[in-house]
Amino acid sequence: MAKKNLRRKFTQEIQPVKKKNWTMKIIALLFFLGVCVIFIVQDSNRINLEGSWKSTKIILDGKDILGDNILNNFDLANQTIISNWGNSMSISTSDSDLDAHFKIKKKSKNVYSITLSSKEKSLNGDFVMKIDTVHTGPQSYIVYVELKRNKTFINFEKEVVVPPWKPERPKRGQV
């Protein structure tokens, strides 16, 4: 009988120990924590100038860049494109293209300055930034931005149309 008991013990299958794969769980957790930290740290009072703007006045060291050139009257030939992703500003006219990197600083309550750095010498330094908004209708307004430093002026504008708010349809049981 002792032989039969030994056979039963040895004939049982030994299952390998499974290693738990925690790497995917750890990666997902780190990603979630990273997104949470970004939303917590993000400044909601930051000025957002991103987009395509129409340049109205560009004077670099007293020289008018827009000038009397008829081609600058077209919207596509006369644009200022601002990208927050790389903090870059591109000013294009029919005659020239200027690129600069920027950083917006808050000096005091509602007074902002912008620091530009570029290959163009007149675009380097701190500029005083003034932003003005004019309502042109119930859902539209025009934003004017003025950058000023010594003999250098850059003005650009953008028309913004906000779609009307649509109320939710009433649900069953609501009055």
Side-chain angles (χ1 to χ4, degrees), residues 38-169:
I38 288 172
F39 282 122
I40 290 171
V41 175
Q42 185 179 12
D43 186 14
S44 62
N45 294 331
R46 209 173 97 200
I47 294 178
N48 186 7
L49 297 176
E50 189 168 21
S52 179
W53 299 73
K54 180 183 177 188
S55 300
T56 56
K57 183 179 186 182
I58 301 173
I59 298 175
L60 302 177
D61 284 336
K63 181 182 175 190
D64 190 7
I65 298 295
L66 293 180
D68 296 328
N69 194 346
I70 295 173
L71 295 176
N72 285 329
N73 293 336
F74 296 108
D75 289 340
L76 295 176
N78 183 15
Q79 281 188 338
T80 300
I81 299 172
I82 299 175
S83 172
N84 283 343
W85 184 258
N87 290 341
S88 64
M89 175 187 294
S90 175
I91 301 170
S92 64
T93 62
S94 62
D95 299 332
S96 63
D97 291 330
L98 304 170
D99 294 324
H101 292 280
F102 68 88
K103 184 174 183 180
I104 298 174
K105 299 176 187 175
K106 185 174 185 177
K107 287 187 173 180
S108 63
K109 185 177 182 181
N110 295 331
V111 177
Y112 292 92
S113 72
I114 185 168
T115 304
L116 295 177
S117 60
S118 174
K119 292 180 182 177
E120 178 69 33
K121 290 181 182 180
S122 60
L123 287 180
N124 290 327
D126 291 335
F127 288 77
V128 176
M129 181 169 56
K130 293 181 183 176
I131 301 173
D132 189 21
T133 305
V134 177
H135 293 277
T136 57
Q139 286 111 11
S140 63
Y141 54 93
I142 299 176
V143 179
Y144 297 99
V145 178
E146 177 183 310
L147 306 178
K148 185 177 183 181
R149 177 181 176 255
N150 298 336
K151 295 181 180 180
T152 302
F153 302 99
I154 302 172
N155 294 350
F156 45 90
E157 65 184 37
K158 179 183 196 179
E159 184 172 356
V160 180
V161 177
V162 179
W165 175 74
K166 294 182 181 179
E168 287 184 27
R169 303 186 88 195

Side-chain angles (χ1 to χ4, degrees), residues 4-65:
K4 288 182 182 179
N5 287 337
L6 289 176
R7 284 187 188 171
R8 285 186 191 166
K9 288 182 182 178
F10 288 119
T11 56
Q12 293 177 351
E13 293 182 23
I14 299 174
Q15 295 181 355
V17 178
K18 292 184 180 178
K19 293 182 181 178
K20 294 184 179 181
N21 191 357
W22 289 94
T23 57
M24 291 302 291
K25 292 179 183 179
I26 291 172
I27 290 172
L29 181 65
L30 289 175
F31 177 75
F32 177 72
L33 290 175
V35 170
C36 289
V37 167
I38 288 172
F39 282 122
I40 290 171
V41 175
Q42 185 179 12
D43 186 14
S44 62
N45 294 331
R46 209 173 97 200
I47 294 178
N48 186 7
L49 297 176
E50 189 168 21
S52 179
W53 299 73
K54 180 183 177 188
S55 300
T56 56
K57 183 179 186 182
I58 301 173
I59 298 175
L60 302 177
D61 284 336
K63 181 182 175 190
D64 190 7
I65 298 295

